[in-house]
Amino acid sequence: MSTVITSDDSFTSAAGRQLLIFAALAISGITLLMLGLSWASSRTGAASGSNNAVDPVTNTLTVFLREEPPQLDSSKATDTVSGSVLGHVVEGLLRYDEHNQIAPGVAESWDIRADGATFRLRENARWSDGRPVTADDFVFAWQTALDPANASEYAFILYPVKNGEAINAGELPLEELGAVAVDDRTLEVTFERPLAYFDKLVTFSTYYPIRRDFYQSVKGAFGADANRILYNGPFVISRWVHGASLKMDRNPYYWNPDRAKLQTIDFAYITSDANASLNLFKDDKIAYTTLLAENLDDAMQQRWHIHRFMDGGVFYIEFNHRPGRLTGNHHLRKAMQLATESAELVYKVTKLPGYLPGESLFPVWLKGVHGFFREEYPANYPHMDLEQARRHLEKAKQELGLKVIPPLVLLSGDNPVSNIQAEYYQQIFRKHLGLDLKIDKQIFKQRLAKMLSGDFDLVLAGWGPDYDDPLTFGDLFASWNLNNRGRYDNPELDRWVRVAQDEQDVQKRMDAFGEIQRILIEDAVILPGYERGVTYVTNPQMKGMVRRAVGPDPDFSNAWIVD
Amino acid sequence: MAELQLTRADFEPLHTDQEIHSLSRPSLSYWQDAWIRLKANTRALFSLYLVIALLAFTLVGPLFWTVDPAAQDVDQISLPPFADRDARIVSPYEPWNGSSVLPVGEGLRLADTPTSEAVRLVWDPVAGATSYSVYRSRYPTGDDRALGLPLIDLYGSASTTFEDRLDLSPRTYYYSLLAYDGAGNELDFQTLTVEVNRVITAESAVERGLIAAPDDVQIGDVIFMPLHPLGTDYLGRDMLARLMHGARVSLFIGIAAPFLYVLFGVVYGSTAGFIGGQTDQLLMRFADFVVALPFLLFMILFKIAFGIGPGESGIFPMLVALVLLSWPATSRLVRGQILQIRQEGYINASRLLGAANGYLVLRHMIPNTMGVILVTLTFAVPSAIFTEAFLSFIGMGVAPPTPSWGSMCNEGIKTMLTTPHELIFPALFISITVLAFNLLGDGLRDALDARMRSVE
Amino acid sequence: MWRYTLKRLVQGVITVWFIATATFFAMHNVPGDPLLNDKNVTEEIRANLEAKYGLDKPIMQQYRIYIWNMIRGDFGISFTQKNRSVNDIIYSHFPVSAILGILAVVFAGLGGVLWGALTALYRNKLPDVIIMFLVILGISVPNFVVAAISQLTLVNVNNLLGVSLLPIAGWGGIEHMLVPAMVLGLGTMAYLTRLMRSSMLEIVSSDFIRTAKAKGLPPTRIFTSHQLRNAILPVITVLGPSIAAITTGGFVVESVFAIPGLGRYFVQAVQQSDYTVIMGTTVFYGAFLVFMVIVVDLLYGWIDPRVRLE
């Protein structure tokens, strides 16, 4: 019988002993192997700190980065993570301070006129190799960003400087740029056309200085590694292990020795996994983390101190207004507008305390003439009214000559937040209007490709501010704007956008924005969803962390540790 | 020594005894024999019933539990199983501008009955305060100032009301109010404990089919919300219905894909192993090539090649991609086994007896590799289910609102601390499926193993 | 033997070329454009970008340039990390994935053989039942769930003890590797355990074991030189592709444990349509995998003399 052998006790015990020896060998082998691998990995230089979140002895703060900065070349940076890191280590002419007010940076005084600006650079502004920051460093940086060969995506933000656009198109040489170093400490800027918000623009990272000789010495790899950047901010990057960690130390050459209070900021982890960062916070390894709606109960139970802030972004459903699309019909859009209630989305579906129900394209934090724009120009967004919505739907059917509206395509991203929203809207329109929505879930670049080609009826979209002026939102639906993905084309709106761009008088500009807001709501160009908020927890020993909607966020450059 | 007496009768041929033949067992075919042995294996039999039960759950279940898996109920989000279901009827929600008559009392107090729709708070102005912050917690506030969620910051000394509508569920809440002066100094700290009850409007009760007409109930009546035996998910959808419909995707992908690609792998691998030589080399290099193709990229490509439009679940291209990209592992395994078996004595013997190639493969080689093939197959089931889950994880899985166990797990993991049922149920179903297929595979292996014939 | 190895290597190079070609054309036919971003760029900027990455040339020319650069070992510049070369990305992140992968494979391989042999030995007895239950548990829970739960467990253990027993995320020393490698290898280990058990049971009833017993060979000898050695064969066959699956499939573990491996970069690259990174990592992994398969085939010939390497 074949099974006899296994039931043979002497055989089993002998074999068992063999296996025991095998196991012992295996374990010792693994131990040796791990020691070897550990040595090998230490050779690659990737080591996460095992520091606690705050260390008063070494004056070190340990935090995390949501993503690896794609590069720290300020002329090419486009994302918020790079913006946050660069904000600690490089300083522009002007900056936002801890109260989010414009404050002097490298420039100690400035004069902004309708046709240009003059910046006077401070004498003691130094690069991290001890040499002074000069006006030429700014001229070079701006020319670099506009250089067609450099192909910077954010070159457009320099178009307000005279000849910027022409240089970027390769029509004029770099030297024709309307920014001139009069001497080492004076920068003279000429505008392409009158401009009211240049002081806010120069805080942006594309306007940061880059030193010519250094840039040329790293041969196209500027910003790729810690030793391939020159710093002039309150901190310098002392170590950057790609994908793993990024460490900053106080910059001894920074002109204001009182600003940085921490010795070291250690971005010891790079993770976008919300659970991982929550666990790290729980383990006292990082000093702050962002909370998702799912983590709120846990955070309350842990008795953490929860904070919130508005990150400035506005999220909405954008309709496709291209000819031939059903969503080009005004009544259909009105029907959908009156069938939704953004409060329900925010209070029941996204469930985060930082979120605000959306009513307008213009977020609540934008400043108007004297106070807040939205207080001076209330949105008056219509409440949900199903009866009227159905009436609009009937009209839409008549106009379109359809008995039933065929299913509409809702283009959506692949992240959980947009998934939930897409599913929510799908159900809402089915329930309230009997409209069928088909969700087209696409990964990032494919969603963008579809948005560009207009392959959608509705799309979940959003917009974050580039600079602190309503125009960063206001020109979005101008017929010429490339980010007007739904190709909304309304001459009346275009006219108001031009007023907002060219007008110098604040009151008249704000009136124009008020008109734009009215048109967007009356014509149901978009369905506002929410203004995004961020809910986060901090270590009680860390003070002075700054969050902001425009500018580097989060900002630890003013933070300190209390015992 | 005695003389041996031989008679003529001693040289007669022995007569054929018919009785002996009737004693032997009826001749059993390979499959009959396997079935007998499978039936004798209780574990395997149990798992077979389990598989049948799962299929019934998927195919027949929705006939009995007719709840729409896509129907959302924002008033019953992330409900645990057998949660309390009573709700009081109220009049429809009216926006509140805070102007109602200030109720008697002092300090932080309620302006209205607290409901799951809204909690309305009022307070007396604090002298010198220019801004107020309202917090809400699920746990009592203590000296540690863990106040919970920061609901709002109100500016201006005149703001003395606040309406909270954020994700209220029937339980006790602890509200706190902080008053600040212009310089940001804290002036006052007040707390309030609020008991929230679930409410529903008559209209939405009709909408949910709980009552026939709005007039059937009075304001203040208590009715029962829809039953969700396994609770609800993050959009208030019925878990049981979603599990049933999710099973369609998961079991389809989990059974059809492995079956197809293991089958293909077996045919491919045995061909290569049996023929050997140049053909084997060529076939195996092609397998190496397929194995090295980036799965994700080709997954997207298949999705487009098959024209997955919006609104379609995308199960079919996923199946095709899985089959086209996953077979090489099985084929390598089977080839290895065939190469080994090819050298065995009984193959040579069979060949000498004149067996044809096809006979050799089907009769000797495949049955002898059955063990390995079945183990591969049973393991391919969970791995296919997980591939689907992984694709959902990175946003390339089945399109919403089609549920699948993998994507449900994926959603559930985020809330595993607060509402564990959203993770446990789909994970449990995956585990049961995997367990059933493993035990069944074990049983089949024993039953189909040619060398184990008639042992038990 | 040497001729065979050389022949296989040449075939390997051709396979890699096929992979590169297939990936190149697949990638260029998938919609999605590496130059698109949240904010649309102007015509001029787009033209500048296209010129920089050579996307303005006809596709066949792009292909020729790509293959030529590849032969010279240059995979180009990443689209997302604009000033970083793909070579640099592979160079700094592949070792991390490889270390994690090797450890996971070793865990899986040794564990699989050990548990598999044990369960076969004590078939239908308590050790078998317990181990198989754990194995089934191990494979029936998706690995992102296992990863999340093991991390959570670590946090709670650390909190309970008041000291950091093991770090819960990050990369550096042994302490960072242990748990992620185990989680990563778990599925494969379970698979190998089953495979080993099944293969052991088949061998136990084969004639040569009976013969060896009849000859009076000592049980230890039968077990090691006959049973184990033969049973390990299918395990080794599967191990080759598993190594690749583990080193490439580390995405979930890498993202949960914040490990700077190549898996994260690859998935990101696919989502971002980062052509050069996709190509670079695919070709690199393809070559790695083809090489592993060759190694396994050679090993096969060494362990099983019956399989002659022609």
Tab-separated table of all heavy atoms in Angstrom, chain B residues 78-101:
chain	number	residue	atom	x	y	z
B	78	SER	N	-22.972	53.557	6.085
B	78	SER	CA	-22.080	52.720	6.902
B	78	SER	C	-22.752	52.179	8.158
B	78	SER	O	-22.206	52.221	9.245
B	78	SER	CB	-20.823	53.504	7.293
B	78	SER	OG	-20.088	53.794	6.153
B	79	LEU	N	-23.945	51.659	7.970
B	79	LEU	CA	-24.689	51.107	9.085
B	79	LEU	C	-24.186	49.699	9.397
B	79	LEU	O	-24.043	48.893	8.491
B	79	LEU	CB	-26.162	51.023	8.656
B	79	LEU	CG	-27.224	51.452	9.613
B	79	LEU	CD1	-26.984	52.874	10.081
B	79	LEU	CD2	-28.565	51.338	8.930
B	80	PRO	N	-23.934	49.385	10.650
B	80	PRO	CA	-23.536	48.008	10.951
B	80	PRO	C	-24.731	47.072	10.795
B	80	PRO	O	-25.875	47.531	10.734
B	80	PRO	CB	-23.075	48.082	12.408
B	80	PRO	CG	-23.693	49.310	12.945
B	80	PRO	CD	-23.897	50.244	11.807
B	81	PRO	N	-24.488	45.765	10.732
B	81	PRO	CA	-25.599	44.816	10.602
B	81	PRO	C	-26.555	44.955	11.774
B	81	PRO	O	-26.139	45.205	12.904
B	81	PRO	CB	-24.904	43.458	10.626
B	81	PRO	CG	-23.493	43.714	10.277
B	81	PRO	CD	-23.189	45.095	10.748
B	82	PHE	N	-27.806	44.780	11.510
B	82	PHE	CA	-28.864	44.800	12.518
B	82	PHE	C	-28.805	46.052	13.390
B	82	PHE	O	-28.915	45.978	14.608
B	82	PHE	CB	-28.812	43.532	13.380
B	82	PHE	CG	-28.986	42.296	12.558
B	82	PHE	CD1	-27.911	41.458	12.295
B	82	PHE	CD2	-30.220	41.998	11.988
B	82	PHE	CE1	-28.071	40.335	11.506
B	82	PHE	CE2	-30.379	40.867	11.199
B	82	PHE	CZ	-29.304	40.042	10.955
B	83	ALA	N	-28.575	47.174	12.752
B	83	ALA	CA	-28.576	48.413	13.512
B	83	ALA	C	-30.018	48.800	13.800
B	83	ALA	O	-30.949	48.347	13.141
B	83	ALA	CB	-27.884	49.502	12.720
B	84	ASP	N	-30.155	49.630	14.763
B	84	ASP	CA	-31.418	50.184	15.176
B	84	ASP	C	-32.027	50.953	13.990
B	84	ASP	O	-31.339	51.692	13.312
B	84	ASP	CB	-31.008	51.076	16.358
B	84	ASP	CG	-32.061	52.002	16.792
B	84	ASP	OD1	-33.203	51.548	16.790
B	84	ASP	OD2	-31.739	53.149	17.144
B	85	ARG	N	-33.334	50.730	13.719
B	85	ARG	CA	-33.879	51.254	12.467
B	85	ARG	C	-35.000	52.262	12.631
B	85	ARG	O	-35.623	52.676	11.662
B	85	ARG	CB	-34.441	50.113	11.619
B	85	ARG	CG	-33.483	49.046	11.275
B	85	ARG	CD	-34.099	48.147	10.246
B	85	ARG	NE	-35.055	47.211	10.821
B	85	ARG	CZ	-36.236	46.954	10.310
B	85	ARG	NH1	-36.644	47.574	9.240
B	85	ARG	NH2	-37.034	46.083	10.881
B	86	ASP	N	-35.354	52.621	13.845
B	86	ASP	CA	-36.519	53.476	13.967
B	86	ASP	C	-36.195	54.930	13.631
B	86	ASP	O	-35.113	55.426	13.890
B	86	ASP	CB	-37.142	53.356	15.359
B	86	ASP	CG	-36.111	53.579	16.439
B	86	ASP	OD1	-34.941	53.247	16.180
B	86	ASP	OD2	-36.444	54.088	17.518
B	87	ALA	N	-37.155	55.561	13.002
B	87	ALA	CA	-36.990	56.959	12.608
B	87	ALA	C	-38.300	57.681	12.858
B	87	ALA	O	-39.375	57.117	12.676
B	87	ALA	CB	-36.611	57.038	11.138
B	88	ARG	N	-38.184	58.919	13.287
B	88	ARG	CA	-39.369	59.705	13.564
B	88	ARG	C	-39.696	60.558	12.341
B	88	ARG	O	-38.810	61.086	11.670
B	88	ARG	CB	-39.099	60.599	14.780
B	88	ARG	CG	-40.338	61.079	15.514
B	88	ARG	CD	-39.963	61.519	16.935
B	88	ARG	NE	-38.693	62.236	16.963
B	88	ARG	CZ	-38.546	63.510	16.595
B	88	ARG	NH1	-39.570	64.200	16.178
B	88	ARG	NH2	-37.371	64.082	16.662
B	89	ILE	N	-40.974	60.673	12.046
B	89	ILE	CA	-41.395	61.475	10.898
B	89	ILE	C	-41.329	62.966	11.267
B	89	ILE	O	-41.809	63.369	12.328
B	89	ILE	CB	-42.845	61.120	10.491
B	89	ILE	CG1	-42.953	59.646	10.109
B	89	ILE	CG2	-43.331	62.020	9.368
B	89	ILE	CD1	-42.341	59.293	8.784
B	90	VAL	N	-40.703	63.750	10.409
B	90	VAL	CA	-40.659	65.199	10.623
B	90	VAL	C	-41.088	65.905	9.355
B	90	VAL	O	-41.186	65.292	8.289
B	90	VAL	CB	-39.247	65.685	10.998
B	90	VAL	CG1	-38.871	65.224	12.385
B	90	VAL	CG2	-38.243	65.245	9.955
B	91	SER	N	-41.367	67.196	9.473
B	91	SER	CA	-41.690	67.964	8.273
B	91	SER	C	-40.390	68.205	7.510
B	91	SER	O	-39.302	68.145	8.086
B	91	SER	CB	-42.355	69.284	8.662
B	91	SER	OG	-41.588	69.890	9.674
B	92	PRO	N	-40.486	68.491	6.211
B	92	PRO	CA	-39.283	68.655	5.397
B	92	PRO	C	-38.342	69.732	5.946
B	92	PRO	O	-38.777	70.688	6.584
B	92	PRO	CB	-39.828	69.058	4.032
B	92	PRO	CG	-41.224	68.579	4.011
B	92	PRO	CD	-41.714	68.620	5.412
B	93	TYR	N	-37.100	69.557	5.663
B	93	TYR	CA	-36.066	70.459	6.166
B	93	TYR	C	-36.245	71.868	5.594
B	93	TYR	O	-36.474	72.033	4.394
B	93	TYR	CB	-34.682	69.924	5.786
B	93	TYR	CG	-33.564	70.894	6.068
B	93	TYR	CD1	-33.052	71.008	7.353
B	93	TYR	CD2	-33.035	71.692	5.051
B	93	TYR	CE1	-32.034	71.903	7.618
B	93	TYR	CE2	-32.024	72.585	5.312
B	93	TYR	CZ	-31.529	72.696	6.596
B	93	TYR	OH	-30.534	73.585	6.866
B	94	GLU	N	-36.196	72.842	6.448
B	94	GLU	CA	-36.246	74.245	6.014
B	94	GLU	C	-34.927	74.894	6.395
B	94	GLU	O	-34.469	74.732	7.520
B	94	GLU	CB	-37.374	74.975	6.757
B	94	GLU	CG	-38.783	74.555	6.365
B	94	GLU	CD	-39.214	75.155	5.037
B	94	GLU	OE1	-38.636	76.181	4.648
B	94	GLU	OE2	-40.119	74.585	4.399
B	95	PRO	N	-34.336	75.621	5.482
B	95	PRO	CA	-33.100	76.323	5.858
B	95	PRO	C	-33.355	77.250	7.045
B	95	PRO	O	-34.448	77.823	7.185
B	95	PRO	CB	-32.755	77.121	4.602
B	95	PRO	CG	-33.448	76.432	3.495
B	95	PRO	CD	-34.680	75.833	4.079
B	96	TRP	N	-32.363	77.378	7.889
B	96	TRP	CA	-32.521	78.140	9.128
B	96	TRP	C	-31.572	79.318	9.072
B	96	TRP	O	-30.378	79.138	8.777
B	96	TRP	CB	-32.172	77.225	10.305
B	96	TRP	CG	-32.365	77.825	11.664
B	96	TRP	CD1	-33.495	78.373	12.171
B	96	TRP	CD2	-31.378	77.889	12.703
B	96	TRP	NE1	-33.300	78.759	13.462
B	96	TRP	CE2	-32.010	78.478	13.832
B	96	TRP	CE3	-30.047	77.495	12.822
B	96	TRP	CZ2	-31.341	78.688	15.026
B	96	TRP	CZ3	-29.391	77.695	14.006
B	96	TRP	CH2	-30.038	78.298	15.101
B	97	ASN	N	-32.080	80.504	9.302
B	97	ASN	CA	-31.172	81.654	9.263
B	97	ASN	C	-30.783	82.104	10.667
B	97	ASN	O	-30.164	83.122	10.858
B	97	ASN	CB	-31.797	82.816	8.482
B	97	ASN	CG	-33.140	83.213	9.062
B	97	ASN	OD1	-33.510	82.743	10.149
B	97	ASN	ND2	-33.856	84.048	8.350
B	98	GLY	N	-31.146	81.293	11.660
B	98	GLY	CA	-30.736	81.597	13.017
B	98	GLY	C	-31.597	82.635	13.687
B	98	GLY	O	-31.313	83.060	14.798
B	99	SER	N	-32.700	83.020	13.022
B	99	SER	CA	-33.473	84.135	13.543
B	99	SER	C	-34.620	83.692	14.450
B	99	SER	O	-35.362	84.528	14.936
B	99	SER	CB	-34.023	84.966	12.389
B	99	SER	OG	-34.911	84.158	11.647
B	100	SER	N	-34.783	82.393	14.645
B	100	SER	CA	-35.884	81.947	15.489
B	100	SER	C	-35.726	82.526	16.904
B	100	SER	O	-34.654	82.961	17.287
B	100	SER	CB	-35.919	80.422	15.576
B	100	SER	OG	-35.051	79.847	14.660
B	101	VAL	N	-36.820	82.457	17.605
B	101	VAL	CA	-36.824	83.033	18.953
B	101	VAL	C	-35.776	82.309	19.804
B	101	VAL	O	-35.667	81.090	19.772
B	101	VAL	CB	-38.219	82.870	19.590
B	101	VAL	CG1	-38.282	83.650	20.895
B	101	VAL	CG2	-39.294	83.312	18.618
